[in-house]
């Protein structure tokens, strides 16, 4: 089983490695002999520029490809291609040397520069806001008909944002919250990171799926300009519009996007690219298409660095599972195959484990049954010996008991004939007579059990039977200072039972409680409670004591010849169980469940035959 599971796991790993090896990889540079406009036909190297695709891949290509063409024209012997990517894809592309340049926001630039050597070439000048170089911030949007007026109103609300490491799409707002004394980790009920493009952020607010959205500066105005939404349907929290700016924002403004080169770009090429960027006119078609007013020399990112120091941005690194998802998107066929192999291997492993467990359980149960049968054989042998001894004892005891009964009856008749003056002696003889009669009935009962005779069923008042059983043990109860109380619930009725057998059960249970109470420390107030619950078709009889309780499971204590007493034979509870089985009654022993020490014996007898009520 383990070998086959290991083989399947190895196959899964092999398929995964094949998928990784067959994933499309672009070399650091590509060579081509295709001539470029304005350049002589020669061998030209191709360089890829990664661009943050915050409005989707296609729109990013449309926006930035003219810029690539501009650079291809102005940089000799070089051709540039745009590669739109998400944050995570830009990280991986730089690591694999699949891109040589990068255009992204300063937050992403700082994050990447801490991991990869980057050369900062230029900063974008915004097409809006009078060509400012500070055009990154957050606008927190809510519906115009909502009751949210400030960030404080968004406590325990659901928020949407683009990504945890998006400067304008999340981190600028987190910086504002820190200044206001809010903890973003616990302030919002949930933050839904939807990634790119940005349109769904606004749609989620419009459709009521989230309470607010953190969007980059001018997202609302751009979507309204394209006719995608009505700007009047939304409201910006903590609104401000600095002088010369075209859009409302909720946070501080940070430097614009940066153009950077990786360590694999030589100094000459980086210089030529920088010169071409700085020389780009604001009205150049490539600049207009890229929605910028040209480029300027790099400006200080101190403000962003301070923000990141406050937020400890290092903890917001993308989780590993995002890289796995990106790989699966790029290699769907291999990913699906690997997932199917893994699923089949898992199901097969679970099925084999289930079959092994099933066989093991069967073997364990068979072994347990064999042990039980061996124990049963030993008990049968002991029972046979006990039967022979019991039959002899019953026969021998029957004659002296019969003689005691006859003598007591004769004495009673003589004292009754003499008249008054002998009342005490007469009462004593009557007690002797009752005990001898009971002893004879018990002997006959034992002989019946040994010979497997049917019990004699008759109408029995269990209330009276309990009183008689308590009276039989009165001397011992008084000697040990044990109090017995009786509680009756419901309307009492007569039951059909074997009177001698039931009294034998009651006396045995009361005697066991007495023996248990004798083990308690001196001064302990012993108490036995007998409770009757008369239901519609059933009688529940419960005997509860406040002794030490059970030390072993009840099924072991009921076993024949098993006893916890030093001088016990282990027959009392076994006989009780046998008698109650003949009555089709249930018998259960357990510790008290009310928090006190002690044992509870429960008898449940069905109401059959007689329907008489107790008067």
């Amino acid at each position: 089983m383990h070998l086959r599971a290991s083989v399947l796991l190895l196959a899964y790993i092999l398929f995964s490695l094949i998928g990784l090896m067959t994933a499309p990889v672009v070399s650091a540079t590509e060579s081509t002999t295709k001539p470029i406009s304005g350049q002589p036909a020669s061998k030209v190297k191709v360089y890829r520029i990664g661009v943050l695709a915050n409005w989707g891949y296609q729109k990013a290509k449309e926006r930035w490809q003219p810029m690539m063409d501009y650079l291809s024209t102005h940089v000799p012997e070089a051709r540039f291609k745009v590669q739109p990517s998400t944050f995570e894809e830009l990280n991986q592309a730089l690591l694999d040397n699949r891109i040589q340049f990068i255009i992204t926001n300063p937050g992403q630039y700082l994050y990447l520069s801490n991991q990869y050597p980057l050369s900062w070439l230029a900063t974008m000048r915004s097409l809006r806001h009078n060509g400012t170089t500070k055009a990154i911030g957050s606008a927190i949007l809510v519906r115009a008909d909502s009751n949210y007026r400030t960030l404080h109103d968004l406590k325990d609300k659901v928020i949407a944002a683009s990504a945890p490491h998006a400067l304008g799409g999340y981190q600028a707002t987190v910086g504002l919250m820190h200044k206001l004394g809010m903890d973003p980790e616990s302030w919002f009920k949930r933050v839904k990171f939807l990634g790119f493009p940005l349109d769904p952020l606004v749609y989620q607010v419009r459709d009521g799926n989230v309470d607010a959205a953190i969007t980059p500066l001018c997202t609302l105005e751009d979507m309204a300009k394209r006719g995608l939404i009505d700007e009047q349907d939304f409201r910006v929290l903590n609104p401000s519009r600095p002088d010369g700016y075209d859009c409302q924002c909720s946070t501080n403004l940070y430097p614009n996007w940066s153009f950077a080169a990786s360590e694999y770009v030589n100094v000459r090429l980086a210089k030529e690219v920088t010169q071409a960027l700085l020389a780009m006119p604001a009205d150049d078609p490539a600049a207009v298409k890229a929605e910028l007013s040209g480029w300027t020399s790099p400006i200080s990112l101190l403000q962003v660095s301070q923000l990141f120091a406050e937020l400890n941005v290092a903890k917001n690194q993308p989780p590993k599972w995002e890289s796995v998802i990106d790989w699966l998107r790029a290699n769907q066929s291999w990913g699906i195959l690997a997932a199917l192999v893994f699923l089949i291997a898992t199901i097969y492993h679970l099925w084999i484990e289930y079959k092994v467990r099933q066989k093991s359980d069967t073997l364990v149960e068979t072994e347990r049954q064999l042990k039980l049968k061996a124990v049963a054989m030993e008990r049968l042998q002991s029972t046979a010996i006990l039967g022979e001894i019991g039959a002899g004892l019953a026969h021998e005891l029957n004659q002296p008991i019969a003689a005691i009964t006859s003598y007591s009856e004769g004495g009673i008749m003589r004292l009754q004939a003499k008249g008054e003056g002998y009342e005490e002696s007469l009462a004593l003889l009557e007690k002797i007579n009752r005990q001898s009669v009971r002893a004879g009935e018990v002997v006959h009962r034992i002989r019946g059990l040994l010979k497997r005779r049917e019990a004699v069923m008759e109408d029995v008042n269990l209330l009276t039977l309990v009183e008689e059983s308590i009276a039989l043990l009165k001397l011992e109860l008084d000697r040990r200072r044990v109090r017995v109380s009786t509680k009756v619930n419901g309307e009492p009725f007569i039951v059909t039972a074997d009177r001698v057998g039931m009294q034998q059960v009651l006396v045995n249970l009361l005697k066991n409680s007495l023996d248990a109470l004798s083990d308690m420390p001196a001064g302990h107030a012993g108490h036995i409670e007998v409770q009757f619950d008369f239901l519609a078709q059933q009688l529940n009889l419960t005997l509860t004591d406040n002794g030490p309780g059970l030390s072993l499971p009840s099924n072991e204590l009921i076993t024949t010849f098993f006893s916890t007493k030093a001088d016990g034979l282990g027959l009392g509870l076994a006989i009780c169980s046998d008698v109650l089985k003949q009555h089709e009654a249930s018998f259960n022993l357990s510790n008290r469940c009310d928090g006190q020490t002690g044992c509870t014996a429960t008898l449940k007898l069905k109401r059959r035959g007689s329907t008489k009520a107790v008067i």
Side-chain angles (χ1 to χ4, degrees):
M1 176 190 68
H2 294 291
L3 178 60
R4 187 166 301 186
S6 301
V7 172
L8 290 173
L9 182 59
L10 181 61
Y12 166 68
I13 297 174
L14 180 61
F15 280 128
S16 301
L17 291 175
I18 293 174
L20 288 173
M21 290 188 293
T22 57
V25 178
V26 182
S27 61
T29 58
E30 300 173 2
S31 298
T32 179
T33 57
K34 182 178 179 180
I36 301 174
S37 176
Q39 296 182 9
S42 60
K43 190 172 183 180
V44 178
K45 290 185 177 181
V46 177
Y47 298 92
R48 294 188 175 272
I49 301 179
V51 176
L52 185 61
N54 55 351
W55 290 102
Y57 295 110
Q58 186 59 37
K59 289 184 179 179
K61 284 184 178 180
E62 295 173 359
R63 177 184 179 186
W64 292 104
Q65 188 56 50
M67 180 70 66
M68 306 300 107
D69 298 337
Y70 170 85
L71 291 174
S72 299
T73 303
H74 290 77
V75 178
E77 299 183 1
R79 183 181 178 188
F80 298 89
K81 289 185 178 181
V82 63
Q83 183 169 325
S85 307
T86 63
F87 286 116
E88 295 75 19
E89 291 169 346
L90 288 176
N91 294 349
Q92 193 62 41
L94 276 175
L95 178 64
D96 299 338
N97 193 26
R98 287 187 278 115
I99 59 175
Q100 291 72 51
F101 297 91
I102 185 172
I103 302 176
T104 186
N105 66 50
Q108 176 79 353
Y109 170 78
L110 285 178
Y111 172 76
L112 293 174
S113 63
N114 290 329
Q115 304 180 66
Y116 318 106
L118 293 176
S119 298
W120 191 7
L121 305 183
T123 298
M124 181 193 302
R125 296 185 61 187
S126 176
L127 182 61
R128 294 173 169 175
H129 323 307
N130 298 321
T132 182
T133 56
K134 284 192 174 183
I136 294 182
S138 297
I140 306 171
L141 303 183
V142 296
R143 286 170 58 108
D145 57 359
S146 71
N147 296 324
Y148 309 131
R149 302 294 174 183
T150 66
L151 265 173
H152 292 277
D153 297 331
L154 297 181
K155 175 68 174 175
D156 296 327
K157 305 301 179 185
V158 179
I159 308 298
S162 56
H165 33 262
L167 179 58
Y170 184 65
Q171 291 173 340
T173 298
V174 174
L176 174 63
M177 296 179 68
H178 274 284
K179 290 182 179 179
L180 296 176
M182 304 175 186
D183 180 13
E185 297 291 334
S186 60
W187 190 262
F188 302 123
K189 179 180 180 180
R190 180 187 174 195
V191 179
K192 297 170 64 175
F193 293 108
L194 305 181
F196 299 121
L198 300 173
D199 306 49
L201 295 173
V202 182
Y203 295 150
Q204 288 282 305
V205 176
R206 179 197 64 186
D207 299 338
N209 297 326
V210 297
D211 298 293
I214 302 173
T215 62
L217 183 69
C218 293
T219 300
L220 176 65
E221 290 78 5
D222 287 343
M223 292 182 66
K225 184 177 179 180
R226 286 183 285 155
L228 300 177
I229 58 171
D230 186 352
E231 189 174 350
Q232 301 302 318
D233 293 339
F234 301 89
R235 186 173 66 253
V236 177
L237 297 186
N238 194 36
S240 67
R241 191 190 297 269
D243 293 338
Y245 280 78
D246 303 332
C247 306
Q248 291 190 88
C249 64
S250 303
T251 65
N252 292 334
L253 294 174
Y254 298 90
N256 217 332
W257 285 27
S258 302
F259 196 115
S262 74
E263 63 175 333
Y264 299 105
V265 176
N266 62 59
V267 177
R268 182 187 61 81
L269 177 61
K271 180 179 179 181
E272 292 175 350
V273 170
T274 303
Q275 290 174 345
L277 290 174
L278 296 179
M280 174 182 284
D283 57 353
D284 188 279
V288 174
K289 191 65 177 178
E291 301 176 7
L292 52 88
S293 295
W295 300 83
T296 186
S297 57
I299 65 172
S300 172
L301 298 183
L302 176 62
Q303 190 179 5
V304 181
S305 299
Q306 291 174 343
L307 173 65
F308 280 20
E310 292 177 4
L311 304 184
N312 189 18
V313 169
K315 67 182 180 181
N316 290 326
Q317 296 182 10
K320 298 295 184 182
W321 59 266
E322 290 188 2
S323 301
V324 176
I325 291 177
D326 292 338
W327 181 86
L328 289 176
R329 286 174 178 170
N331 305 271
Q332 290 186 5
S333 57
W334 287 110
I336 293 173
L337 179 60
L340 286 175
V341 172
F342 179 76
L343 180 62
I344 293 172
T346 302
I347 294 174
Y348 180 76
H349 174 75
L350 293 176
W351 181 76
I352 292 296
E353 187 176 349
Y354 167 75
K355 297 299 291 183
V356 170
R357 187 184 298 274
Q358 193 178 46
K359 295 292 185 183
S360 299
D361 292 342
T362 303
L363 290 174
V364 171
E365 179 63 21
T366 302
E367 183 180 4
R368 190 179 71 86
Q369 292 293 336
L370 288 174
K371 289 182 178 179
L372 288 176
K373 289 181 179 180
V375 173
M377 287 294 295
E378 294 178 1
R379 290 175 180 170
L380 285 174
Q381 294 176 358
S382 301
T383 303
I385 296 172
L386 179 65
E388 294 178 4
I389 297 173
L393 286 174
H395 177 74
E396 295 297 330
L397 290 174
N398 190 47
Q399 291 182 358
I401 290 173
I404 294 171
T405 303
S406 299
Y407 291 149
S408 62
E409 289 177 351
I412 291 171
M413 294 174 63
R414 289 187 180 184
L415 290 177
Q416 287 176 344
K418 290 183 178 182
E420 298 180 359
Y422 300 94
E423 287 79 6
E424 293 183 2
S425 299
L426 184 61
L428 181 61
L429 286 173
E430 288 176 348
K431 288 182 179 180
I432 294 172
N433 180 259
R434 284 197 298 271
Q435 293 299 323
S436 63
V437 170
R438 176 180 172 275
E441 290 175 346
V442 171
V443 169
H444 286 295
R445 174 66 184 170
I446 293 174
R447 295 180 66 181
L449 288 174
L450 293 173
K451 295 181 179 180
R452 296 297 179 187
R453 292 178 180 175
E454 292 292 332
V456 179
M457 297 296 180
E458 57 183 335
D459 289 347
V460 176
N461 183 352
L462 282 182
L463 293 174
T464 304
L465 205 61
V466 168
E467 292 178 357
E468 292 178 358
S469 302
I470 295 173
L472 292 175
L473 298 172
K474 188 175 186 309
L475 290 176
E476 193 167 356
L477 289 168
D478 292 342
R479 182 173 59 83
R480 298 186 183 181
R481 297 180 180 179
V482 175
R483 181 173 58 89
V484 181
S485 61
T486 305
K487 183 178 180 181
V488 180
N489 298 323
E491 188 67 27
F493 52 78
I494 300 296
V495 298
T496 301
D498 178 13
R499 180 184 182 85
V500 177
M502 288 304 299
Q503 188 166 37
Q504 193 173 358
V505 170
L506 293 171
V507 171
N508 206 325
L509 294 177
L510 288 169
K511 186 67 169 61
N512 281 346
S513 293
L514 271 171
D515 293 340
L517 289 169
S518 65
D519 295 334
M520 298 299 288
H524 177 74
H527 178 225
I528 301 174
E529 181 182 71
V530 183
Q531 178 173 319
F532 294 86
D533 291 309
F534 289 94
L535 307 178
Q537 298 297 326
Q538 182 175 296
L539 167 60
N540 295 341
L541 178 59
T542 305
L543 283 83
T544 304
D545 62 56
N546 60 345
L550 301 179
S551 58
L552 294 170
S554 60
N555 57 342
E556 294 186 20
L557 297 174
I558 297 175
T559 303
T560 309
F561 302 115
F562 181 88
S563 177
T564 58
K565 303 175 185 177
D567 55 350
L569 294 176
L571 296 175
L573 291 176
I575 292 175
C576 292
S577 177
D578 187 69
V579 170
L580 292 171
K581 283 180 181 178
Q582 293 184 7
H583 289 76
E584 298 182 8
S586 66
F587 177 48
N588 180 56
L589 290 175
S590 64
N591 285 316
R592 295 179 62 165
C593 57
D594 56 359
Q596 301 184 33
T597 60
C599 173
T600 299
T602 305
L603 289 66
K604 296 182 180 180
L605 294 93
K606 295 181 180 178
R607 184 176 185 178
R608 295 192 304 268
S610 175
T611 59
K612 299 178 183 179
V614 177
I615 302 176

